[in-house]
């Protein structure tokens, strides 16, 4: 009871004190809002990225439902669909995959589907309807385009398919279509239920009990639970509860809901950014309240005199902070959300998910931001609140202001306006530290972003991405890491393009290689000394067992032309094209140890190695040197112990059956790059090939740079705002609260000019200290930050630069000149006596 | 009944050569209901003495007992609460809370305690001091004399054991001083309050029941 009543009194005082402090309130609200903006942007971007990844993965998986079963019987479906943990369920019936020749490169499936299941699979007609009539068909625009059919309802769609040994060539009527998804693993064609069941009547024999794997007529269903936690266990429970064996019944979990797997670097990154935001928010909010409390120390002393306890005073400060937060945080939430929405596409532009960004509207984002913001405000005002609580009643009764704890002051050097300025600034060490830190933080960040961006070495980057002007390979190699070669006509088409100066092909096959005795000894050394240390025994077991059981290892055999040979980096041995071309020599890679040492070769230069091409075809080569296939020309994946054998193309083609290259590279004549680019693009558009060009790689590089500039720039700008706000607040309040003292100085003879000079000197002292700190300790921190974030990036090299700080220098000095000058004008209007007389 | 008692009260500022003996062993006794005036010149230590009596500042040695309780045996927070309930202050510069209106200022100590003000009693005080029409005003809207009357009302409202007044008429002109002091005496009698007042003005001191003189930190007369 008592608590409630005196809370009212405290609340009353808090509210009324709040109203008396207009300027402080505005500054505080701005500070709180800015902090909140930072948090909200971070969480919006984070949450949206999670959602984007989830959505994208769902599109690849083929459904957004939590889990499902594939190819079960009607009986099985009926049984499981009654399980209480299922929140929603829908199914489709498989007919066959489409055999039209146009679909040779694009998997297409024919089914009947319920409306819900179709919607969940992102395959619901946007124009038209799902099949109603017997011969109706609904499908995606990708399928229509492949068949060369215009996107119009009523069109005839021919389908070829096989069911239970019988082939069908039927024509259907297009009743609906949707925009096809290029990243889906298969396209869907919906037919009417009657047609499907007529063509493939359902059997009741579970798939795992039948001897033929006939999927036609089998039901696949999608299931939603009430939430996405623990899907694996939930669906297993359904299977077992319905009396089936989880290892037999084909149950599946949508791995999009696997929960984002964040690696430790990302976590560290996020935590660091959070701490940065808390720190910068703390610096300014603390300062605002600290200044406010010290300014009102007489007021708090008075309250103490009347009988307000320390706890109550603390509560008064806290409540004011709370009320200000209630205004500042919502503003910050809104603006932060906007910024997050704008930045999301920029950040995604360099990832796989470019263009797929979905902004998350999850309330959790706002809740978390508000929570963190409130927490920051709470932490920031606790020291000032404690200070208020410890005010002694004597503060109210003194007629002089006790300034600081110093008892003596050494040195009676000449007193100048500047020395007075410095003394004044040092009066409140805490304020000085808070302002300096706040300003430095922003300077450090700007400098870091600048150093990172300018440290990106485009040449180094390009070196790893391209070794020729253009490079053509199968798009599946890049997007899905599947081993697919170029088409039969690729090499010839590219060679024939007008303006091409040189063409080089890269051939590759995967082999198993029987090691010679000396090589085996080397491999043993690798296994003993490096393998488990580098990769962990969990993953290396297949390489190890292959070696111990068969004295073999996985290998890649490459055939290259001169264009690629010129780009080989030969370590150890000779780089001799003539010898190489003769076909009796081979280059072999070594066990990669951070990419540039060859302490662990498989074969040494001069060794003899025998390659077995199968069917009794073996040949012995001499190792000419150790070399690695350049990244743009290799096959993108391999095992841990996996030497590359590099032969000339002629030698390769003599022994291998697969004659299509993995990569076709070409250079353009000087001045003809644009034409060649067009021709190569045209070729790639018309086939499944994709092209990487020097220009496209350079564009990628620039877009990465600009992303960092934009994101880093926004962050720096906000922190800069915070720093400047802090700076402004400190200077202005220090001048206003010393009105009486300044009037006193004037009354003893200090001229206006001298007074102004002193105040400007104080401003300069703040700015100068901040710059000094930034130039020294700040640059060390920049180095650490840059090393942490960009040190791992291989095309980044650190260059020390003072440029960004030097650019900010004049701005800061200008500000520190203008602010005091302006502030003084506003108080200089009252007469000296008026200002002296002021009690408050 | 002795409502206020000090024993060998000493307050020393600084140390060694620069030590200032603001209070140099003060023994004092005040009975319930008395109106005491403490008189002394500037620097005599009278303000310091009052601050000690009110528990606003801690002595170097010695003790102060209010209503039988040794106030400096209490911790800071407890002392504040004690002060809130048992001691009323009237200052030379009024020391009203600038953001609260007259009524809120008067009942503030009571509300800080979490109690409901005794409406009848507070009304009586307000009437006696002639503040009925000014209850909604903010302090900066009142004359010096009016502000001081509010301060007196505040000091009375919580029915403290003693009221300590530090040069209550220091900032007022002679006529207003007479009025205010008269009110102080009248309300003290009417509501049976003990009042200890500091002043350097001999004339005003005559209104008190007993005059105590202090010089250089020592009592030189009227201690009893």
């Amino acid at each position: 009871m008592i608590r409630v009543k005196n809370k009212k009194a405290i609340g009353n005082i808090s509210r009324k004190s709040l109203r008396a402090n207009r300027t402080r309130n505005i500054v505080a609200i701005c500070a709180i809002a800015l902090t909140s903006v930072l948090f909200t942007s971070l969480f919006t971007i984070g949450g949206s990225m999670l959602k984007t990844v989830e959505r994208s993965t769902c599109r690849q998986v083929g459904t957004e439902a939590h889990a499902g079963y594939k190819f079960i019987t009607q009986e099985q479906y009926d049984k499981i669909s009654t399980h209480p943990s299922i929140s929603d369920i829908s199914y489709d019936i498989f007919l066959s995959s489409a055999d039209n020749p146009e679909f040779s490169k694009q998997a297409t499936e024919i089914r009947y589907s319920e409306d819900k299941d179709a919607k969940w699979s992102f395959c619901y007609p946007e124009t038209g309807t799902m099949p109603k009539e017997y011969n109706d068909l609904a499908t995606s625009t990708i399928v229509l385009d492949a068949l060369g059919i215009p996107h119009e309802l009523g069109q005839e769609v021919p389908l070829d398919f096989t069911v239970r040994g019988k082939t069908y060539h039927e024509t259907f009527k297009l009743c609906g279509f949707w925009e096809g998804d290029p990243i889906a693993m298969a396209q869907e064609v919906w037919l009417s239920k009657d047609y499907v069941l007529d063509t493939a009547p359902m059997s009741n024999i579970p798939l795992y009990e039948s001897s033929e794997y006939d999927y036609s007529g089998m039901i696949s269903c999608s299931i939603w639970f009430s939430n996405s936690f623990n899907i694996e266990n939930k669906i297993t429970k359904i299977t077992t509860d319905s009396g089936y064996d989880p290892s037999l019944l084909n149950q599946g979990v949508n791995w999009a809901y696997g929960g984002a797997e964040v690696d430790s670097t990302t976590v560290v990154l996020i935590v660091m950014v959070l701490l940065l935001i808390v720190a910068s928010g703390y610096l300014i909010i603390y300062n605002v309240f600290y200044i406010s409390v010290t300014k009102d120390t007489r007021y708090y002393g008075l309250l103490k005199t009347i009988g307000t306890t320390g706890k109550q005073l603390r509560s008064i400060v806290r409540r004011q902070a709370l009320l200000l937060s209630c205004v500042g945080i919502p503003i910050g939430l809104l603006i932060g959300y906007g910024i997050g929405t704008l930045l999301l596409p920029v950040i995604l532009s360099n990832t796989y998910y470019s263009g797929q960004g979905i902004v998350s509207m999850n309330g959790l984002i706002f809740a978390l931001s508000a929570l963190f913001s409130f927490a920051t405000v709470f932490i920031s005002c606790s020291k000032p609140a404690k200070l208020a609580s410890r005010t002694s009643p004597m503060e109210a009764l003194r007629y002089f202001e006790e300034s600081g704890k110093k008892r003596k002051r050494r040195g009676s050097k000449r007193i100048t306006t500047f020395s007075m300025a410095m003394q004044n600034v040092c009066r409140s060490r805490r304020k000085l530290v808070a302002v300096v830190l706040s300003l430095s933080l922003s300077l450090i960040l700007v400098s870091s972003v600048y150093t990172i961006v300018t440290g990106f070495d485009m040449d180094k980057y390009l070196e790893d991405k391209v070794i020729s002007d253009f490079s053509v390979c199968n798009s599946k190699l890049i997007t899905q890491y599947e081993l697919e070669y170029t088409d039969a006509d690729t090499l010839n088409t590219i060679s024939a393009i007008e303006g091409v100066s040189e063409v080089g092909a890269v051939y590759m096959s995967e082999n198993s290689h029987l090691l010679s005795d000396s090589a085996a000894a080397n491999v043993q050394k690798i296994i003993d000394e490096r393998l488990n240390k580098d990769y962990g025994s969990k993953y290396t077991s297949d390489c190890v067992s292959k070696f111990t059981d068969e004295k073999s290892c996985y290998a890649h055999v490459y055939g290259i032309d001169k264009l690629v040979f010129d780009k080989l980096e030969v370590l150890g041995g000779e780089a001799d094209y003539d010898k190489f071309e003769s076909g009796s020599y081979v280059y072999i890679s070594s066990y990669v140890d951070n990419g540039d040492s060859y302490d662990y070769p498989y074969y040494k230069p001069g060794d003899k190695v025998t390659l077995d091409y199968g069917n009794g075809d073996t040949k012995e080569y001499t190792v000419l040197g150790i070399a690695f296939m350049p990244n743009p020309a290799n096959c993108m994946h391999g095992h841990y112990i996996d030497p590359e054998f590099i032969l000339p193309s002629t030698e390769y083609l003599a022994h291998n059956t697969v004659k299509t290259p993995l990569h076709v590279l070409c250079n353009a004549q000087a001045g003809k790059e644009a034409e060649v680019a067009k021709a190569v693009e045209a070729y790639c558009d018309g086939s499944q090939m994709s092209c990487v060009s020097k220009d496209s790689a350079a564009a990628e590089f620039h877009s990465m740079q600009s992303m960092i500039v934009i994101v880093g720039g926004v962050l720096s700008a906000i922190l800069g705002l915070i720093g400047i706000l802090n700076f402004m607040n400190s200077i202005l309040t220090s001048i206003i609260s010393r009105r009486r003292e300044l009037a006193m100085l004037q009354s003893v003879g200090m001229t206006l000019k001298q007074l102004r000079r002193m105040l400007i000197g104080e401003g300069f002292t703040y700015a100068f200290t901040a710059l000094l700190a930034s130039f020294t300790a700040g640059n060390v921190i920049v180095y650490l930050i840059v090393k942490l974030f960009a040190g791992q990036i291989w095309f980044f090299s650190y260059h020390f630069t003072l440029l960004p700080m030097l650019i900010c220098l004049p701005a800061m000095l200008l500000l520190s000149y203008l602010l005091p000058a302006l502030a003084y004008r506003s108080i200089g209007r009252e007469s000296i006596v008026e200002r002296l007389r002021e009690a408050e | 009944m002795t409502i206020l008692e000090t024993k060998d009260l000493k307050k020393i500022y600084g140390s060694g050569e620069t030590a200032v003996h603001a209070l140099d062993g003060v023994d004092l006794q005040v009975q319930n209901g008395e109106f005491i005036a403490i008189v002394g010149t500037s620097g005599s230590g009278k303000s310091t003495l009052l601050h000690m009596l009110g528990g606003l500042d801690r002595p170097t040695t010695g003790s102060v007992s209010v209503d039988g309780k040794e106030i400096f045996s209490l911790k800071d927070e407890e002392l504040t609460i004690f002060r809130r309930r048992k001691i009323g202050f009237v200052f030379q510069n009024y020391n009203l809370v600038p953001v609260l209106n007259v009524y809120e200022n008067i009942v503030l100590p009571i509300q800080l305690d979490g109690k409901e003000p005794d409406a009848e009693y507070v009304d009586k005080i307000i009437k006696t001091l002639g503040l009925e029409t000014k209850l909604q005003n903010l302090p900066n809207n009142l004359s010096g004399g009016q502000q001081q009357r509010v301060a007196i009302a505040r000091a009375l409202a919580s029915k403290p054991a003693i009221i300590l007044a530090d040069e209550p008429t220091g900032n007022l002109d002679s006529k207003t001083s007479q009025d205010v002091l008269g009110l102080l005496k009248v309300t003290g009698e009417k509501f049976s309050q003990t009042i200890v007042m500091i002043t350097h003005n001999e004339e005003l001191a005559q209104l008190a029941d007993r005059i105590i003189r202090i010089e250089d930190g020592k009592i030189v007369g009227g201690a009893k």
Side-chain angles (χ1 to χ4, degrees):
Chain A
M1 271 310 263
I2 294 182
R3 272 229 125 173
V4 173
K5 300 258 177 67
N6 83 10
K7 272 204 172 150
K8 254 175 67 179
I10 299 296
N12 200 18
I13 299 183
S14 306
R15 262 180 292 123
K16 301 227 169 127
S17 310
L18 195 68
R19 278 193 233 147
N21 260 311
R22 277 276 152 74
T23 350
R24 179 205 66 179
N25 292 350
I26 295 178
V27 176
I29 290 177
C30 287
I32 297 174
L34 281 172
T35 311
S36 190
V37 163
L38 287 173
F39 279 122
T40 315
S41 315
L42 179 71
F43 290 128
T44 304
I45 293 176
S48 301
M49 285 190 71
L50 284 178
K51 188 147 189 214
T52 305
V53 171
E54 190 184 89
R55 217 349 158 65
S56 177
T57 318
C58 278
R59 282 164 63 190
Q60 277 192 346
V61 169
T63 177
E64 53 175 0
H66 290 141
Y69 292 92
K70 274 195 162 85
F71 308 126
I72 56 179
T73 64
Q74 181 74 55
E75 188 191 322
Q76 291 172 321
Y77 177 78
D78 290 335
K79 204 121 187 236
I80 56 169
S81 56
T82 56
H83 199 276
S85 72
I86 294 179
S87 136
D88 206 352
I89 185 169
S90 178
Y91 70 93
D92 63 71
I93 305 177
F94 183 77
L95 181 62
S96 169
S97 42
D99 295 333
N100 301 45
E102 294 90 339
F103 299 138
S104 61
K105 296 269 167 68
Q106 170 66 64
T108 308
E109 298 177 340
I110 309 174
R111 301 171 190 256
Y112 154 73
S113 175
E114 281 191 320
D115 281 14
K116 270 198 261 189
D117 197 36
K119 285 202 184 115
W120 298 341
S121 319
F122 314 111
C123 293
Y124 193 78
E126 289 151 4
T127 318
T129 61
M130 291 289 278
K132 293 194 203 132
E133 307 291 321
Y134 193 74
N135 273 329
D136 275 351
L137 176 150
T139 188
S140 76
T141 51
I142 293 181
V143 168
L144 295 175
D145 289 341
L147 293 172
I149 297 176
H151 305 173
E152 280 165 20
L153 300 180
Q155 288 285 331
E156 303 232 309
V157 182
L159 282 185
D160 305 337
F161 53 90
T162 312
V163 177
R164 297 177 188 158
K166 183 161 171 233
T167 48
Y168 295 80
H169 307 280
E170 305 273 334
T171 316
F172 301 88
K173 199 170 68 137
L174 188 65
C175 66
F177 57 89
W178 60 87
E179 188 70 34
D181 193 347
I183 70 170
M185 297 224 261
Q187 297 295 314
E188 298 293 337
V189 172
W190 305 133
L191 298 179
S192 67
K193 187 172 189 177
D194 293 331
Y195 182 89
V196 170
L197 288 178
D198 281 352
T199 316
M202 299 210 276
S203 87
N204 253 327
I205 306 173
L207 199 60
Y208 46 87
E209 280 174 24
S210 81
S211 48
E212 328 139 11
Y213 269 86
D214 179 21
Y215 298 114
S216 45
M218 300 300 271
I219 291 180
S220 296
C221 64
S222 304
I223 294 175
W224 286 86
F225 299 106
S226 53
N227 59 51
S228 58
F229 293 114
N230 223 350
I231 302 179
E232 177 91 44
N233 287 342
K234 281 184 184 153
I235 194 154
T236 309
K237 188 161 190 302
I238 296 181
T239 313
T240 43
D241 284 354
S242 309
Y244 299 111
D245 183 350
S247 63
L248 291 177
L249 200 65
N250 194 336
Q251 68 182 44
V253 166
N254 188 343
W255 31 279
Y257 295 109
E261 256 165 45
V262 270
D263 55 275
S264 49
T265 359
T266 321
V267 172
V268 167
L269 194 70
I270 293 180
V271 170
M272 282 191 63
V273 176
L274 277 174
L275 285 176
L276 177 72
I277 301 175
V278 171
S280 70
Y282 179 90
L283 285 171
I284 184 174
I285 299 175
Y286 166 86
N287 218 19
V288 169
F289 282 101
Y290 179 76
I291 292 174
S292 169
V293 166
T294 49
K295 189 167 81 117
D296 292 335
T297 185
R298 291 190 71 173
Y299 176 66
Y300 291 116
L302 163 61
L303 287 175
K304 250 277 172 85
T305 316
I306 305 174
T308 320
T309 58
K311 274 214 195 104
Q312 289 172 319
L313 285 177
R314 215 190 317 199
S315 176
I316 291 177
V317 174
R318 286 238 172 94
R319 269 169 199 251
Q320 294 186 39
L322 183 71
L323 288 168
L324 291 169
S325 302
C326 288
V327 177
I329 292 184
I331 296 177
L333 287 179
L334 271 169
I335 299 180
Y337 189 73
I339 292 183
T341 311
L342 288 172
L343 283 182
L344 184 69
V346 175
I347 294 179
L348 286 179
S349 66
N350 276 300
T351 65
Y352 168 73
Y353 305 100
S354 166
Q356 295 179 32
I358 300 182
V359 179
S360 171
M361 289 281 310
N362 199 341
L364 195 62
I365 293 176
F366 296 107
L368 270 177
S369 313
L371 186 70
F372 270 88
S373 306
F374 272 116
T376 308
V377 174
F378 187 78
I379 304 173
S380 311
C381 76
S382 57
K383 264 227 181 98
K386 201 164 172 201
L387 186 65
S389 79
R390 288 218 227 110
T391 324
S392 109
M394 295 304 289
E395 298 288 342
L397 307 169
R398 274 197 256 264
Y399 294 110
F400 56 89
E401 271 165 43
E402 216 171 67
S403 54
K405 303 178 185 149
K406 277 175 123 184
R407 299 264 145 180
K408 295 193 181 160
R409 195 177 103 85
R410 256 181 305 157
S412 309
K413 294 192 214 126
R414 247 183 55 146
I415 298 184
T416 63
T417 46
F418 193 67
S419 71
M420 284 182 75
M422 288 215 344
Q423 282 290 311
N424 284 337
V425 168
C426 291
R427 254 201 265 183
S428 179
R429 286 269 163 77
R430 292 208 179 166
K431 208 165 72 162
L432 177 64
V433 167
V435 172
V436 164
L437 277 179
S438 193
L439 285 170
S440 308
L441 205 61
S442 141
L443 277 177
I444 288 174
L445 202 72
V446 168
S447 206
S448 305
V449 170
Y450 183 81
T451 309
I452 291 180
V453 165
T454 52
F456 280 167
D457 189 340
M458 182 157 95
D459 291 330
K460 258 201 204 172
Y461 179 81
L462 288 180
E463 233 172 61
D464 187 74
K465 291 274 170 170
V466 290
I467 51 175
S468 56
D469 290 341
F470 302 93
S471 164
V472 174
C473 68
N474 193 307
S475 54
K476 291 222 165 116
L477 185 65
I478 303 181
T479 57
Q480 287 167 27
Y481 297 110
E482 274 173 29
L483 187 57
E484 293 269 355
Y485 295 94
T486 55
D487 286 343
D489 61 341
T490 310
L491 182 57
N492 293 333
T493 316
I494 301 290
S495 310
I497 293 180
E498 164 94 33
V500 165
S501 63
E502 197 187 351
V503 176
V506 175
Y507 301 90
M508 188 224 48
S509 65
E510 291 174 322
N511 275 349
S512 177
H513 172 67
L514 182 63
L515 296 156
S516 71
D517 293 331
S518 61
N522 288 335
V523 172
Q524 185 67 58
K525 184 168 168 231
I526 293 172
I527 293 178
D528 293 337
E529 292 177 23
R530 304 255 11 152
L531 196 62
N532 289 335
K533 258 197 281 173
D534 289 342
Y535 300 110
S537 47
K538 198 164 83 159
Y539 302 106
T540 58
S541 47
D542 54 347
C543 290
V544 175
S545 51
K546 196 171 170 70
F547 173 68
T548 40
D549 297 343
E550 304 163 13
K551 200 186 165 198
S552 304
C553 61
Y554 298 103
H556 285 78
V557 179
Y558 287 90
I560 61 173
D561 288 335
K562 181 153 197 308
L563 189 159
V564 182
F565 177 84
D566 288 339
K567 297 287 178 180
L568 275 184
E569 200 194 337
V570 176
L571 318 156
E574 317 163 35
D576 187 334
Y577 187 65
D578 294 323
K579 269 195 178 165
F580 178 67
E581 219 190 353
S582 69
S584 318
Y585 294 91
V586 69
Y587 284 101
I588 305 185
S589 69
S590 69
Y591 178 76
V592 177
D593 183 21
N594 74 37
D596 47 22
S597 96
Y598 49 105
D599 292 335
Y600 295 94
Y602 298 108
Y603 289 90
K604 299 208 182 61
D607 281 355
K608 301 274 183 222
V609 56
T610 309
L611 290 183
D612 182 354
Y613 296 103
N615 294 327
D617 182 9
T618 64
K619 180 162 172 189
E620 193 187 70
Y621 301 89
T622 312
V623 177
L624 193 49
I626 296 183
F628 293 88
M629 284 298 290
N631 274 339
N634 71 16
C635 73
M636 315 271 183
H637 60 250
H639 297 87
Y640 301 115
I641 296 184
D642 199 335
E644 295 170 339
F645 294 93
I646 305 174
L647 295 163
S649 330
T650 39
E651 179 62 25
Y652 178 95
L653 290 169
H655 296 278
N656 276 283
T657 44
V658 176
K659 310 270 187 189
T660 39
L662 187 65
H663 296 277
V664 174
L665 296 83
C666 71
N667 287 326
Q669 291 164 11
K672 297 248 168 135
E673 288 92 350
E675 295 159 35
V676 175
K678 247 174 83 181
V680 174
E681 300 272 325
Y683 172 72
C684 290
D685 282 342
S687 66
Q688 271 224 314
M689 303 303 116
S690 70
C691 166
V692 174
S693 70
K694 216 178 219 168
D695 287 340
S696 72
E700 233 177 62
F701 178 81
H702 286 302
S703 117
M704 204 181 343
Q705 267 189 325
S706 42
M707 175 197 92
I708 296 185
V709 168
I710 293 178
V711 173
V714 169
L715 191 61
S716 304
I718 296 182
L719 286 178
L721 262 176
I722 291 182
I724 292 176
L725 193 63
N726 213 358
F727 186 49
M728 277 171 52
N729 184 41
S730 305
I731 292 189
L732 287 174
T733 50
S734 90
I735 291 175
I736 290 174
S737 64
R738 277 183 299 154
R739 263 185 300 206
R740 201 207 246 157
E741 185 186 315
L742 297 175
M744 188 260 307
L745 282 171
Q746 266 189 294
S747 72
V748 291
M750 201 176 199
T751 63
L752 259 177
K753 244 201 189 155
Q754 286 174 315
L755 205 58
R756 247 189 50 171
R757 244 191 291 153
M758 182 180 83
L759 293 176
I760 292 174
E762 287 176 27
F764 272 160
T765 308
Y766 276 115
F768 199 68
T769 317
L771 286 167
L772 194 70
S774 307
F775 272 76
T776 55
N779 272 314
V780 172
I781 298 179
V782 167
Y783 176 76
L784 291 173
I785 292 180
V786 166
K787 264 282 166 327
L788 177 69
F789 283 93
Q792 297 304 319
I793 299 180
W794 48 272
F795 51 91
F796 171 79
S797 37
Y798 171 80
H799 298 291
F800 175 77
T801 171
L802 280 179
L803 189 62
M805 290 194 181
L806 286 173
I807 292 182
C808 293
L809 187 117
M812 279 180 61
L813 291 178
L814 186 68
L815 208 64
S816 54
Y817 174 83
L818 282 177
L819 277 174
L822 283 172
Y824 190 74
R825 264 225 258 142
S826 74
I827 62 174
R829 288 197 210 113
E830 290 177 311
S831 79
I832 301 179
V833 175
E834 273 173 20
R835 281 182 276 142
L836 276 176
R837 195 180 287 165
E838 256 175 31
E840 221 80 77
Chain B
M1 186 191 99
T2 308
I3 197 146
L4 178 64
E5 186 171 359
T6 73
K7 283 205 175 79
D8 198 27
L9 205 56
K10 284 193 187 162
K11 178 73 178 177
I12 303 173
Y13 291 107
S15 60
E17 285 181 0
T18 54
V20 174
H21 293 254
L23 292 177
D24 207 3
V26 170
D27 291 295
L28 191 58
Q29 277 179 0
V30 178
Q31 302 300 322
N32 199 357
E34 278 195 280
F35 185 167
I36 306 280
I38 301 180
V39 180
T41 54
S42 303
S44 55
K46 51 192 200 294
S47 285
T48 315
L49 176 59
L50 201 79
H51 294 162
M52 295 289 143
L53 295 178
L56 293 173
D57 201 4
R58 286 183 182 268
T60 317
T61 53
S63 70
V64 175
S65 302
V66 175
D67 208 5
K69 185 100 187 161
E70 259 196 49
I71 60 177
F72 293 115
S73 65
L74 298 172
K75 282 196 261 185
D76 276 343
E77 294 280 272
E78 291 167 345
L79 183 54
T80 308
I81 296 178
F82 183 85
R83 189 168 56 238
R84 179 201 281 169
R85 294 179 188 161
K86 295 286 189 174
I87 303 175
F89 280 100
V90 181
F91 292 105
Q92 183 175 353
N93 53 4
Y94 332 125
N95 275 351
L96 298 178
V97 178
V99 299
L100 300 176
N101 65 28
V102 164
Y103 182 77
E104 286 167 336
N105 261 293
I106 294 174
V107 296
L108 183 57
I110 305 171
Q111 286 188 327
L112 286 174
D113 224 12
K115 302 205 172 72
E116 282 292 342
D118 182 348
E120 233 191 277
Y121 190 68
V122 172
D123 262 345
K124 258 209 294 192
I125 298 173
I126 292 175
K127 275 220 182 71
T128 313
L129 289 163
L131 292 169
E132 309 100 312
T133 53
K134 301 283 179 194
L135 288 179
Q136 303 289 335
N137 287 41
L138 289 175
N140 59 16
N141 216 359
L142 303 168
S143 72
Q146 289 166 330
Q147 288 189 53
Q148 197 60 295
R149 279 188 263 165
V150 175
I152 296 173
R154 177 178 71 189
L156 287 169
S158 52
K159 300 190 209 166
I162 54 172
I163 293 185
L164 301 174
D166 187 349
E167 307 258 18
T169 58
N171 282 0
L172 306 170
D173 63 64
S174 55
K175 172 110 188 356
T176 325
S177 295
Q178 298 274 4
D179 289 340
V180 165
L181 218 46
L183 278 171
L184 198 56
K185 181 156 174 137
V186 159
T187 50
E189 281 168 5
K190 188 165 175 185
F191 299 107
S192 312
Q193 294 282 179
T194 315
I195 303 181
V196 176
M197 177 180 79
I198 287 188
T199 181
H200 59 266
N201 187 327
E202 287 283 343
E203 259 184 63
L204 298 173
Q206 299 303 323
L207 284 167
D209 299 336
R210 177 157 62 107
I211 299 179
I212 297 176
R213 291 181 200 282
I214 183 169
E215 210 177 290
D216 290 329
K218 292 199 185 66
I219 307 258
V220 293
K224 185 146 124 227

